[in-house]
Amino acid sequence: MSDVARHAGVSRTTVSFVLNDRADANISEETRRRIWASIESLGYRPNAGARALAAKRSDCYGLISEIATAPFAVDVIKGAQDRAWADRKFLLIAATEGDPAMEAAALDKLLQQRVEGVLYATTWHRPVTLPPAAREVPTVLVHCFDADGVMPSVVPDEVMGGYRATRRLLDAGHERIGLINLDPRIPAAVGRRAGYERALREAGVPVAEDLVLCGHATADGGYAAACELLDRAERPTALFCANDRMAMGAYDAIKERGLTIPEDVAVIGFDNQELISAYLRPGLTTVALPFEAMGIKGVDMLAALTAGQPLGTTPVTIDCPLIERSSV
């Protein structure tokens, strides 16, 4: 800073005022331009750590994610980063591979960088317990919720997603609709089945337990469950698969039996994993998980917390839109 002051022919205090954009400093525009020209000429960069320590703010948020390169994580990062940048905030990203020791270390490192808040994002919807240090800074959970019910969170509206998928099949004239679900204990499976049953009840269609099977989230599991449903004397005319991988397996089971999609059996997936849903033939109609929108909302909530606005601990839900293709 002293070098810049000498180069620009001003005092060190004047340089400090310009760098910190002090509105109350009586500094002419010509002097400001000269100082910024000197900064550029000398390649000066302020010490961010020192400035954050002095100002007690860093203009940075931290994002902790299990796998930063996973397709879903990329969408969360994009939404969060775009929204943060709109407020001139930067996002510092730490991938932890789901290792609790790495999570604790990543959080400590982000706190050392004086981040103003932290987003904690998971690849699948579930309760989580964060390291105690997370309570030292505003923290928002994305695609998960606090097992202790203390921290605010944003999650997909699983129930409405299941309802929307089933409603689409009902509107297409189907009543015998099979559900190939995820592990029945996880929140996504519970919510998607609740939406499925709600849509059936509203349409006056009985919920048949024998039409609900578990595909364990894999293509092989979806194939096996679809085989079982399609080999029954009274087979379903439509399948709601609770993720796209299981829908991919169901496609194989349908085609092996000489049936066509959607003429003989309609299929809807969930997640909108584009490497699957957009390239199956016919293209898979599916419900999208709103990862980018959750990233945006997470930063909105973080900005509110850092501004001192209290938030509730009931998870905020984000709508899961239906992506129409050709399988219904």
Side-chain angles (χ1 to χ4, degrees):
M1 198 181 294
S2 297
D3 292 340
V4 170
R6 280 193 297 272
H7 192 276
V10 298
S11 71
R12 193 175 185 277
T13 300
T14 301
V15 174
S16 177
F17 285 170
V18 170
L19 284 171
N20 290 289
D21 198 23
R22 283 278 297 271
D24 58 340
N26 187 22
I27 300 171
S28 70
E29 281 304 312
E30 191 279 330
T31 299
R32 289 178 185 272
R33 282 194 296 271
R34 194 165 73 250
I35 289 170
W36 282 113
S38 295
I39 287 170
E40 184 175 352
S41 175
L42 296 174
Y44 170 71
R45 291 185 179 86
N47 185 314
R51 295 183 73 187
L53 190 61
K56 296 184 179 180
R57 54 189 288 269
S58 63
D59 290 329
C60 291
Y61 293 140
L63 186 149
I64 297 175
S65 178
E66 296 166 320
I67 307 173
T69 56
F72 294 160
V74 168
D75 289 338
V76 171
I77 291 168
K78 183 182 185 307
Q81 189 164 261
D82 289 351
R83 177 61 187 86
W85 182 242
D87 287 343
R88 309 303 289 178
K89 304 286 186 184
F90 289 89
L91 202 62
L92 304 181
I93 301 165
T96 64
E97 302 298 329
D99 182 338
M102 287 182 67
E103 287 181 357
L107 183 57
D108 283 343
K109 180 61 75 173
L110 291 171
L111 293 178
Q112 289 173 27
Q113 301 300 315
R114 295 294 195 275
V115 293
E116 296 179 25
V118 169
L119 294 178
Y120 180 91
T122 58
T123 53
W124 58 283
H125 184 180
R126 65 183 190 272
V128 296
T129 300
L130 268 62
R135 298 175 186 270
E136 297 177 20
V137 66
T139 299
V140 174
L141 310 184
V142 178
H143 201 211
C144 54
F145 57 94
D146 184 10
D148 297 326
V150 174
M151 294 183 178
S153 61
V154 53
V155 298
D157 191 338
E158 308 280 13
V159 176
M160 183 53 70
Y163 175 88
R164 183 167 283 128
T166 309
R167 184 73 257 173
R168 176 67 181 87
L169 293 169
L170 289 164
D171 290 344
H174 299 281
E175 292 190 355
R176 192 161 174 79
I177 301 170
L179 169 62
I180 302 178
N181 207 358
L182 306 163
D183 182 326
R185 296 166 294 180
I186 67 174
V190 173
R192 294 171 198 184
R193 177 167 182 167
Y196 163 82
E197 293 183 353
R198 175 183 149 196
L200 292 176
R201 285 195 299 270
E202 285 186 6
V205 176
V207 177
E209 287 294 330
D210 65 316
L211 288 180
V212 179
L213 297 177
C214 178
H216 303 287
T218 67
D220 287 343
Y223 171 81
C227 287
E228 182 176 340
L229 290 169
L230 295 171
D231 287 343
R232 291 178 179 171
E234 190 179 356
R235 64 170 174 81
T237 62
L239 297 176
F240 168 32
C241 300
N243 77 7
D244 293 345
R245 292 192 299 276
M246 295 189 298
M248 181 168 61
Y251 265 49
D252 290 339
I254 292 166
K255 292 176 180 179
E256 280 183 0
R257 284 152 180 77
L259 302 172
T260 59
I261 304 167
E263 290 78 12
D264 297 313
V265 183
V267 182
I268 284 186
F270 208 112
D271 290 351
N272 192 34
Q273 286 189 272
E274 289 209 25
L275 286 176
I276 297 174
S277 56
Y279 295 100
L280 287 173
R281 293 293 180 267
L284 177 65
T285 295
T286 186
V287 177
L289 280 170
F291 284 101
E292 187 171 339
M294 287 192 290
I296 292 170
K297 184 62 177 179
V299 172
D300 280 338
M301 294 167 68
L302 205 51
L305 282 177
T306 57
Q309 300 174 27
L311 296 179
T313 56
T314 300
V316 173
T317 56
I318 301 293
D319 187 46
C320 298
L322 184 72
I323 308 299
E324 290 276 4
R325 293 193 178 93
S326 308
S327 61
V328 178

